[in-house]
C-alpha cells in the first residue's frame, strides 16, 4: 500500500516538477525552513509574552487582593455587630464592597467560606457564588486555613455566557469576623483581557506571516529561475550535442560564473566537433584504403590464381618437395581470396553501404543446404552433425546469401572445435521470430572468449591451428549480417562442455526481435556427449 502511494506521489505533476527543477526544490526548501522558523518564533514569542503578561498581571492581582483583605479585616475589627444577623449583614456588605471596588482590577467573584477555626456557637451563612465554587479546590483551602497570608492559584473559570472557560487567578486569605471567628475569603480575578491581547498579537503575527510564506517561494523561485537560465541552456545544448548536433553552442551573456560556464561549454563543443571530424575523416580514409587495397589486390591475385591452378594441375609430375610447395600455394591462395572477400565485405559494412536482398525462405531448407555443403569437413574431422528441426515451416524474410554465410561460419567453427563430438543444429520458431542454434560439445569457451568472440581477428587460442584456414573475420561478418536483419546473435560456452551460438531473426524485414524461440544454452544429454 505504501509503495503504491509513493508511486502515485512520484507520478503527480508537482512531485515531478520538484524532482526535475532545482529552482522548485530550493524554493520549497526555503519556504519550509521559513515556515519552521516562523512557527518557532511564534511559539517562543507566545510563551514569553504569556509569561511576561501573566507575571505582571499576577503581581497586580496580589497587590489588589492584599489591599482588599486589609480593608475588610480593618472593617471587621472596628465593627460593633454583636448578633448573628448583624455579623451576617456586615459580612454581606464586606463582600459587596470588595466585589464593587475590585471590579476595576478584573475581579469577577468574591466568596466567604467558613473555616475550621470558626466559633461553633456563633455561626453565620457562607456567601458563595455557585458558578465559581468549583474553582476553589481542597489544596488551596488547606493552604489558606493553615496560613496567615494570601495564597493564589491559576484557575480556569466559566466565561460570561457559561459556554466556555477563560483563564483566571483566585486569591484566598483568612479574615476574622466579630464573634464568628475565622472565615476564608476568596477573590476570583479574570485574565480574559490579557488572553485577548495575546490572541490578538498571535493573530497579527499569523496574518503577517502569510505574505512571507506566499512571497518567499515565489520570489525565491523567480530569482533562481533567472539565475539558472544559463544552466538550463547548457543542459539543453549538451542534450542536443549528445544526440549528434555537433554545431550546438550556448549563447553567452555577461562575465559572471554562468557566462564562463557557457564559454567553457562552447570551447568543449568546438574541440569535440573538430576531433570527431578528424576521426570521421581518418575512418573514411581507413575504409577507403581497405577497399582500394582489396580491389587492387584482386588483379594480381587473379593472375596468381591462374598460375597456381596450372601448377596445381601438374603437381603429380613434380618432386615431392615441389609437390608439397604446390599444395601449400594452392591452400594459401584460396585463403588469400577468402580474406580479400571478407575485407571487402567488412569495408561495405564500415561504409554503411551493405544492403539486404530479402526473400521469404524456410530456414529448415537453408540449414539443410549449409549442413550438406560442409559434410565433407565433418566427415574428415569425424564429427556427426545432427539437425533438430520442427515439423512446421520456419519461414522468414531474409537475405539468403548472408544467412547462409552466417550459418556456414557458425557450423564450420563448431565442427572445428567439436573434438570429434556431435554438433547439434536446432531450429525454432514463434509467431514473430525464427531461430537457429549451433551447439557443439568440444573445448568450449572461457568468459573472456565469449566477451570477444565477435571481435575482428580475435582468436581464443593463438596456438590452435585453423583446419579450414579461416581469416579471423567470419564471426565478425556473421554479427554484421545478423545485425543488418535487426536480429540477435549470441554466444556462450563452458570450458570442457562446448559452445553454443544462437541466431534469432524477425519473420518480417524491418521488425525487431520480440521473442526467444530457443534458449542459448542447454545442458547436453548423454547421447549428445558421446563421440
Amino acid at each position: 500500500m505504501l509503495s503504491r502511494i509513493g508511486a502515485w506521489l512520484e507520478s503527480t505533476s508537482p512531485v515531478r516538477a520538484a524532482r526535475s527543477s532545482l529552482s522548485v526544490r530550493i524554493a520549497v526548501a526555503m519556504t519550509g525552513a521559513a515556515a519552521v522558523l516562523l512557527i518557532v518564533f511564534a511559539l517562543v514569542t507566545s510563551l514569553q509574552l504569556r509569561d511576561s503578561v501573566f507575571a505582571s498581571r499576577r503581581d497586580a492581582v496580589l497587590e489588589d487582593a492584599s489591599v482588599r483583605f486589609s480593608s475588610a479585616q480593618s472593617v471587621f475589627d472596628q465593627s460593633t455587630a454583636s448578633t448573628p444577623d448583624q455579623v451576617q449583614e456586615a459580612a454581606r456588605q464586606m463582600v459587596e464592597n470588595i466585589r464593587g471596588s475590585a471590579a476595576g482590577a478584573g475581579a469577577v467573584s468574591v466568596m466567604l467560606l467558613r473555616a475550621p477555626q470558626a466559633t461553633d456557637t456563633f455561626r453565620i451563612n457562607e456567601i458563595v457564588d455557585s458558578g465559581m465554587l468549583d474553582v476553589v479546590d481542597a489544596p488551596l483551602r488547606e493552604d489558606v486555613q493553615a496560613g496567615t497570608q494570601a495564597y493564589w492559584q491559576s484557575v480556569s473559570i466559566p466565561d460570561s455566557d457559561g459556554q466556555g472557560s477563560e483563564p483566571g487567578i483566585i486569591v484566598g486569605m483568612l479574615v476574622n469576623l466579630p464573634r464568628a471567628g475565622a472565615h476564608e475569603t476568596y477573590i476570583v480575578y479574570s485574565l480574559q483581557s490579557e488572553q485577548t491581547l495575546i490572541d490578538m498579537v498571535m493573530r497579527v503575527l499569523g496574518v503577517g506571516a502569510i505574505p512571507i510564506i506566499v512571497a518567499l517561494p515565489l520570489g525565491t523561485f523567480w530569482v533562481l529561475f533567472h539565475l539558472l537560465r544559463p544552466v538550463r541552456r547548457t543542459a539543453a545544448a549538451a542534450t542536443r550535442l549528445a544526440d549528434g548536433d555537433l554545431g550546438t553552442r550556448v549563447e553567452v551573456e555577461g562575465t559572471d560564473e554562468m557566462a564562463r560556464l557557457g564559454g567553457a561549454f562552447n570551447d568543449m563543443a568546438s574541440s569535440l566537433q573538430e576531433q570527431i571530424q578528424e576521426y570521421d575523416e581518418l575512418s573514411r580514409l581507413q575504409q577507403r584504403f581497405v577497399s582500394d587495397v582489396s580491389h587492387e589486390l584482386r588483379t594480381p591475385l587473379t593472375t596468381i590464381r591462374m598460375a597456381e591452378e596450372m601448377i596445381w594441375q601438374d603437381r603429380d609430375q613434380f618432386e615431392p618437395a615441389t609437390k608439397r610447395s604446390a599444395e601449400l600455394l594452392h591452400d594459401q591462395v584460396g585463403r588469400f581470396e577468402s580474406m580479400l572477400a571478407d575485407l571487402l565485405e567488412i569495408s561495405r559494412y564500415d561504409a554503411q553501404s551493405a544492403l539486404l536482398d530479402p526473400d521469404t525462405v524456410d530456414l529448415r531448407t537453408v540449414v539443410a543446404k549449409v549442413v550438406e555443403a560442409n559434410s565433407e569437413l565433418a566427415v574428415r574431422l569425424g564429427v556427426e552433425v545432427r539437425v533438430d528441426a520442427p515439423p512446421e515451416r520456419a519461414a522468414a524474410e531474409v537475405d539468403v546469401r548472408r544467412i547462409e554465410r552466417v550459418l556456414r561460419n557458425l557450423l564450420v567453427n563448431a565442427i572445428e572445435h567439436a573434438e570429434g563430438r556431435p554438433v547439434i543444429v536446432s531450429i525454432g520458431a514463434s509467431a514473430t521470430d525464427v531461430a537457429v542454434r549451433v551447439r557443439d560439445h568440444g573445448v568450449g569457451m572461457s568468459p573472456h572468449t565469449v566477451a570477444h568472440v565477435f571481435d575482428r581477428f580475435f582468436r581464443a587460442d593463438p596456438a590452435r591451428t585453423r583446419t579450414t584456414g579461416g581469416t579471423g573475420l567470419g564471426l565478425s561478418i556473421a554479427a554484421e549480417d545478423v545485425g543488418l536483419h535487426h536480429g540477435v546473435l549470441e554466444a556462450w560456452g563452458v570450458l570442457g562442455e562446448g559452445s553454443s551460438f544462437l541466431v534469432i531473426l524477425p519473420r518480417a524485414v524491418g521488425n525487431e526481435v520480440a521473442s526467444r524461440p530457443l534458449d542459448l544454452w542447454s545442458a547436453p544429454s548423454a547421447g549428445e556427449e558421446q563421440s
Side-chain angles (χ1 to χ4, degrees):
M1 184 64 181
L2 292 177
S3 59
R4 293 181 180 177
I5 295 175
W8 177 80
L9 289 175
E10 290 286 338
S11 64
T12 56
S13 297
V15 174
R16 287 202 303 270
R19 290 177 62 88
S20 61
S21 174
L22 179 62
S23 302
V24 173
R25 291 203 303 273
I26 294 179
V28 171
M30 292 189 65
T31 302
V36 171
L37 290 176
L38 287 174
I39 291 174
V40 172
F41 173 75
L43 290 176
V44 173
T45 302
S46 175
L47 292 175
Q48 290 183 345
L49 180 61
R50 187 187 64 182
D51 292 343
S52 176
V53 171
F54 178 79
S56 177
R57 178 61 172 152
R58 179 196 59 198
D59 294 341
V61 164
L62 293 178
E63 184 178 354
D64 182 80
S66 177
V67 171
R68 306 307 168 192
F69 291 143
S70 298
S71 177
Q73 187 62 60
S74 177
V75 171
F76 287 140
D77 289 343
Q78 298 174 8
S79 175
T80 58
S82 58
T83 65
D85 291 339
Q86 291 175 344
V87 175
Q88 184 74 57
E89 179 62 21
R92 186 190 65 77
Q93 290 181 358
M94 181 272 296
V95 169
E96 291 297 333
N97 290 336
I98 293 177
R99 183 181 291 119
S101 60
V108 294
S109 180
V110 180
M111 292 178 286
L112 184 68
L113 304 180
R114 183 178 176 83
Q117 300 94 322
T119 303
D120 292 335
T121 58
F122 194 98
R123 302 174 65 91
I124 63 172
N125 295 327
E126 295 181 333
I127 302 175
V128 298
D129 185 347
S130 59
M132 297 290 180
L133 185 59
D134 292 337
V135 302
V136 184
D137 57 12
L140 178 60
R141 294 197 65 178
E142 293 175 357
D143 291 339
V144 172
Q145 293 166 9
T148 58
Q149 60 182 4
Y151 291 89
W152 67 274
Q153 180 176 296
S154 295
V155 292
S156 178
I157 61 178
D159 56 13
S160 58
D161 57 8
Q163 300 299 320
S165 61
E166 58 189 43
I169 293 178
I170 183 171
V171 184
M173 184 175 179
L174 282 179
V175 293
N176 291 311
L177 275 65
R179 304 192 64 184
H183 280 68
E184 304 166 23
T185 304
Y186 296 96
I187 306 175
V188 181
Y189 293 86
S190 174
L191 302 183
Q192 183 58 39
S193 59
E194 287 75 15
Q195 184 64 48
T196 302
L197 175 62
I198 294 175
D199 293 341
M200 182 186 67
V201 172
M202 296 308 300
R203 282 196 298 270
V204 170
L205 289 176
V207 173
I210 292 177
I212 298 177
I213 297 298
V214 174
L216 181 62
L218 295 178
T220 303
F221 175 78
W222 184 85
V223 172
L224 290 174
F225 186 81
H226 284 274
L227 286 177
L228 295 177
R229 181 166 53 186
V231 177
R232 292 194 301 274
R233 290 177 180 174
T234 306
T239 301
R240 294 194 298 272
L241 186 66
D243 292 337
D245 185 4
L246 299 180
T248 298
R249 296 296 183 271
V250 176
E251 181 181 356
V252 179
E253 300 176 355
T255 58
D256 57 7
E257 293 84 350
M258 295 299 181
R260 291 197 293 272
L261 172 64
F265 176 85
N266 291 340
D267 294 341
M268 180 194 69
S270 299
S271 176
L272 183 63
Q273 183 179 21
E274 293 175 359
Q275 292 183 11
I276 291 178
Q277 290 174 348
E278 292 177 0
Y279 291 151
D280 289 343
E281 182 63 25
L282 290 175
S283 177
R284 285 192 294 269
L285 291 175
Q286 180 184 10
Q287 295 168 10
R288 188 182 308 151
F289 174 78
V290 173
S291 178
D292 292 345
V293 169
S294 301
H295 280 288
E296 292 298 327
L297 286 177
R298 295 185 71 85
T299 300
L301 180 62
T302 301
T303 303
I304 294 174
R305 168 59 79 181
M306 294 174 59
E308 177 272 327
E309 286 180 350
M310 295 178 62
I311 296 174
W312 173 257
Q313 292 174 359
D314 297 334
R315 66 185 183 280
D316 292 336
Q317 302 176 10
F318 301 149
E319 295 294 331
T322 306
K323 180 180 179 180
R324 178 58 181 162
S325 298
E327 293 174 348
L328 291 175
L329 177 64
H330 178 76
D331 293 339
Q332 294 304 314
V333 168
R335 183 181 179 187
F336 195 12
E337 284 183 331
S338 298
M339 183 176 294
L340 279 179
D342 289 346
L343 286 174
L344 284 173
E345 190 67 24
I346 285 292
S347 67
R348 293 189 189 98
Y349 278 114
D350 290 342
Q352 298 182 353
S353 61
L355 300 174
L356 281 178
D357 183 17
D359 190 15
T360 302
V361 296
D362 187 351
L363 279 188
R364 298 180 302 175
T365 304
V366 178
V367 169
K369 180 179 178 181
V370 172
V371 171
E372 178 63 26
N374 294 276
S375 58
E376 181 181 351
L377 174 63
V379 171
R380 178 154 52 92
L381 296 180
V383 176
E384 178 187 0
V385 178
R386 304 174 189 171
V387 178
D388 181 11
E392 64 275 2
R393 295 181 73 235
E397 295 180 0
V398 298
D399 188 327
V400 179
R401 178 182 65 86
R402 296 182 185 278
I403 296 305
E404 284 183 356
R405 180 166 61 192
V406 171
L407 297 179
R408 180 174 62 252
N409 284 327
L410 298 182
L411 182 60
V412 170
N413 182 73
I415 291 174
E416 284 189 330
H417 296 84
E419 300 290 327
R421 297 190 181 97
V423 172
I424 312 299
V425 181
S426 303
I427 304 172
S430 66
T432 57
D433 309 289
V434 294
V436 178
R437 181 180 64 212
V438 180
R439 170 83 157 87
D440 69 75
H441 305 85
V443 295
M445 292 188 295
S446 66
H448 174 74
T449 302
V450 171
H452 299 280
V453 70
F454 297 113
D455 294 349
R456 298 177 184 180
F457 299 107
F458 175 77
R459 296 186 67 179
D461 184 2
R464 185 180 179 87
T465 303
R466 293 183 184 270
T467 305
T468 59
T471 65
L473 295 172
L475 292 180
S476 300
I477 295 175
E480 298 285 358
D481 286 336
V482 174
L484 195 62
H485 288 80
H486 292 182
V488 174
L489 177 58
E490 299 175 345
W492 186 252
V494 178
L495 292 176
E497 296 184 15
S499 305
S500 178
F501 290 82
L502 175 64
V503 180
I504 306 177
L505 302 170
R507 284 185 179 268
V509 172
N511 290 350
E512 301 292 336
V513 170
S515 63
R516 297 181 66 87
L518 293 173
D519 293 329
L520 172 59
W521 183 261
S522 60
S525 62
E528 292 175 347
E529 292 181 339
Q530 294 177 357
S531 59

